[in-house]
Amino acid sequence: MSKVTALKQSKRHQKNTDEVLVGIDYPLIREGSYEAVLLTWETSSRYAKKNPDNPRVLKGGKIYLHWHIDPYNNAGVGKDKVIVFMAFNANTVHLPLGDKGRFTAGRRSNYGKLVKKQLGRSQSSKAATPDIFFGKLYEVNVRTVVSDEKQKPIPADEQYSIVDNVIRQA
């Protein structure tokens, strides 16, 4: 008969695992046109590369505009605040990243075209931050994301909504 030995308890610290998942789930609302106001924007290093010339500036990156959808509940979305993002590619993002981070975008990029649509072609200047969208009500188009960045289908319970287009100022 073999000798049985008791296993020793791990000396590693036992962490509280009650809150393993962090962040927010992206909301899913029906597709269509909604009234929206811009709450904030942020920059991200997603798809960015290091810049050997300036370590405080990354080449590429993302700009995310966060919209409050149906703030006056005219479309019947509900009393809960629904925040949906709109993503843009950046030419560069500046450290530190995050809330109201600095970035550059091309004049002919989707962000540049949106700014020109808002300000007019002649008035769009070098300093066209998303501040120009604050305090105004817009009509936006919301769509459902059904595939990931590799164009693979997303399961129905993981699909989410994004702002696809700013149609006009309401």
Side-chain angles (χ1 to χ4, degrees), residues 36-152:
V37 294
L38 184 67
L39 290 181
T40 189
W41 83 86
E42 67 179 320
T43 55
S44 168
S45 61
R46 186 167 179 117
Y47 306 116
K49 296 180 181 177
K50 291 182 179 178
N51 183 349
D53 300 331
N54 186 349
R56 297 202 38 83
V57 177
L58 302 175
K59 291 181 179 181
K62 291 294 224 178
I63 309 156
Y64 295 101
L65 304 184
H66 298 278
W67 297 90
H68 179 188
I69 303 298
D70 196 23
Y72 305 112
N73 202 21
N74 292 334
V77 170
K79 295 177 184 175
D80 294 334
K81 192 180 232 185
V82 177
I83 312 296
V84 177
F85 71 88
M86 182 178 196
F88 295 97
N89 294 326
N91 284 352
T92 62
V93 290
H94 300 247
L95 299 177
L97 301 170
D99 192 40
K100 297 189 179 183
R102 291 181 50 219
F103 64 90
T104 62
R107 289 185 179 274
R108 297 186 54 81
S109 69
N110 288 340
Y111 179 78
K113 291 174 184 175
L114 179 64
V115 168
K116 281 187 243 178
K117 186 175 172 181
Q118 173 63 24
L119 294 178
R121 187 178 185 128
S122 62
Q123 293 184 8
S124 61
S125 66
K126 282 178 73 173
T129 67
D131 285 335
I132 62 172
F133 299 103
F134 281 124
K136 299 172 188 156
L137 187 65
Y138 290 90
E139 182 181 351
V140 298
N141 186 53
V142 173
R143 73 174 173 88
T144 302
V145 177
V146 296
S147 60
D148 64 13
E149 63 270 2
K150 295 179 182 177
Q151 301 308 309
K152 292 184 180 177

